[in-house]
Amino acid sequence: MIHEAEILSQRRLAPDIYRLELFAPRVAEQAQPGQFLMVRTSISLDPFLRRPLSVNAVDRRRGAVVLLYRVVGRGTRLLAERKLGKRLNVVGPLGRSFTVPLSGPVVLVAGGLGIAPLFFLAEVCRQRGNEVILFYGARSQEELVLRRELEDMGVKVFLATDDGSLGERGTVVELLKKKGLPPAAPVYAAGPPPMLKALAGTLKDMGREAEFSLEERMGCGVGACRGCAVKVREGENFVYRRVCTDGPVFKAGEVVWE
Ligand SMILES: Cc1cc2nc3c(=O)[nH]c(=O)nc-3n(C[C@H](O)[C@H](O)[C@H](O)COP(=O)(O)OP(=O)(O)OC[C@H]3O[C@@H](n4cnc5c(N)ncnc54)[C@H](O)[C@@H]3O)c2cc1C
Ligand code: FES
């Protein structure tokens, strides 16, 4: 489960957003949409903790695994500096994946880098022949990365930006309310907590269930430190679940937003 993966490519897609391709045949073979890797971002033990990054795509034939990430702090900055041909130490694939339906349309809702796990899900659904409808929002046009690749895959893409530079001006949740959802299509979402919270409320009003991929700061990534706990409903009670092993994919209706 620990892999020394060679860096095959590293591309900057937008200011601060990078796409990194690794040679990791066993990960490529096993990974399912929604799962993540714990990545050692530097060659030293500083920063000590690995950083969780979702699997963005796999190419099983070439043994390649793709990560998509935004530089937000020290770990991701060091990752952006890693050079081709060098090895990256990763653990995974980890966590619970999305439940992919065998047939029928699916709706994906991505806020910003939430597109990272949903791109992989879109790819798998298209390969199975599902119709895929994506609502994709970001701060501005340049941050709507991979939208052309998704359209080329045959995904029906609706865009929203905060500044109105592409698609509808406003949030992706407002866009979804305006366009509506096909009946009975399962909904999958990933993005920042305020977006997921707003979406959970909207879907509840619509009487729709969904699966959300959650992000919490992680210590170990394998269920040992309990640093990634989230509050969820269990019957009449509340319990804490670990995002790394019980998630990161949870049913939208069970998450308690505080
Ligand atoms: C299961 C999972 C999958 C993820 N997938 C992706 C992905 O595919 N692409 C991507 O860009 N990011 C993803 N993230 C978030 C990513 O792990 C953090 O951005 C990264 O760990 C930050 O490390 P850093 O050292 O650069 O920043 P730090 O210096 O550690 O932190 C910088 C800032 O980012 C915030 N932050 C750090 N970690 C997280 C986190 N886990 N969740 C939310 N905010 C955080 C901090 O609060 C701080 O404000 C994922 C997180 C989880 C839990
Ligand atoms: S990160 Fe340690 S228990 Fe989840």
Side-chain angles (χ1 to χ4, degrees):
M1 185 140 128
I2 299 181
H3 312 267
E4 287 288 338
E6 186 188 336
I7 299 176
L8 297 175
S9 68
Q10 163 108 283
R11 267 196 317 136
R12 185 166 168 261
L13 303 188
D16 292 339
I17 300 180
Y18 291 80
R19 205 165 188 228
L20 174 74
E21 193 183 35
L22 300 171
F23 182 68
R26 283 178 57 204
V27 181
E29 195 56 50
Q30 293 165 4
Q32 300 298 324
Q35 290 191 298
F36 64 97
L37 304 183
M38 289 296 279
V39 179
R40 185 167 294 298
T41 56
S42 81
I43 45 172
S44 69
L45 287 183
D46 179 23
F48 182 68
L49 296 178
R50 293 167 181 273
R51 300 300 194 248
L53 293 175
S54 306
V55 176
N56 175 236
V58 299
D59 182 336
R60 295 202 165 109
R61 193 179 46 82
R62 292 172 50 241
V65 178
V66 182
L67 304 175
L68 177 76
Y69 65 96
R70 187 196 294 277
V71 173
V72 293
R74 181 140 189 276
T76 44
R77 195 171 314 117
L78 286 165
L79 190 57
E81 290 165 6
R82 301 295 298 273
K83 300 279 183 270
L84 303 193
K86 299 290 180 194
R87 288 179 188 276
L88 197 64
N89 186 286
V90 300
V91 175
L94 300 169
R96 270 189 51 209
S97 57
F98 292 109
T99 320
V100 187
L102 289 176
S103 60
V106 299
V107 174
L108 315 185
V109 189
L113 265 282
I115 198 63
L118 294 180
F119 183 92
F120 188 13
L121 180 61
E123 225 172 29
V124 168
C125 289
R126 288 301 296 141
Q127 281 159 9
R128 290 189 183 191
N130 299 87
E131 183 191 353
V132 179
I133 299 154
L134 169 68
F135 294 94
Y136 183 13
R139 288 184 291 210
S140 64
Q141 171 173 7
E142 62 186 1
E143 296 197 359
L144 286 168
V145 297
L146 303 180
R147 60 181 190 275
R148 293 208 180 81
E149 288 83 347
L150 286 153
E151 283 165 355
D152 290 347
M153 235 186 251
V155 174
K156 194 168 175 188
V157 183
F158 296 102
L159 301 172
T161 47
D162 294 346
D163 64 0
S165 52
L166 192 64
E168 295 272 331
R169 180 190 292 270
T171 71
V172 72
V173 179
E174 287 159 359
L175 177 65
L176 175 143
K177 277 196 225 169
K178 193 168 162 185
K179 299 282 179 197
L181 295 177
V187 179
Y188 304 89
M195 174 214 130
L196 293 180
K197 184 178 178 184
L199 182 63
T202 299
L203 293 173
K204 192 173 176 205
D205 293 344
M206 292 173 156
R208 302 289 289 263
E209 250 305 342
E211 289 186 0
F212 284 3
S213 176
L214 303 187
E215 286 189 14
E216 274 297 327
R217 297 209 71 152
M218 288 188 176
C220 66
V222 292
C225 73
R226 298 197 166 262
C228 63
V230 284
K231 200 171 175 181
V232 300
R233 282 185 195 85
E234 198 176 69
E236 298 294 299
N237 302 317
F238 297 116
V239 292
Y240 284 90
R241 295 267 180 253
R242 288 161 295 189
V243 170
C244 61
T245 46
D246 301 315
V249 176
F250 290 87
K251 289 202 174 101
E254 69 184 1
V255 180
V256 178
W257 303 99
E258 301 197 296

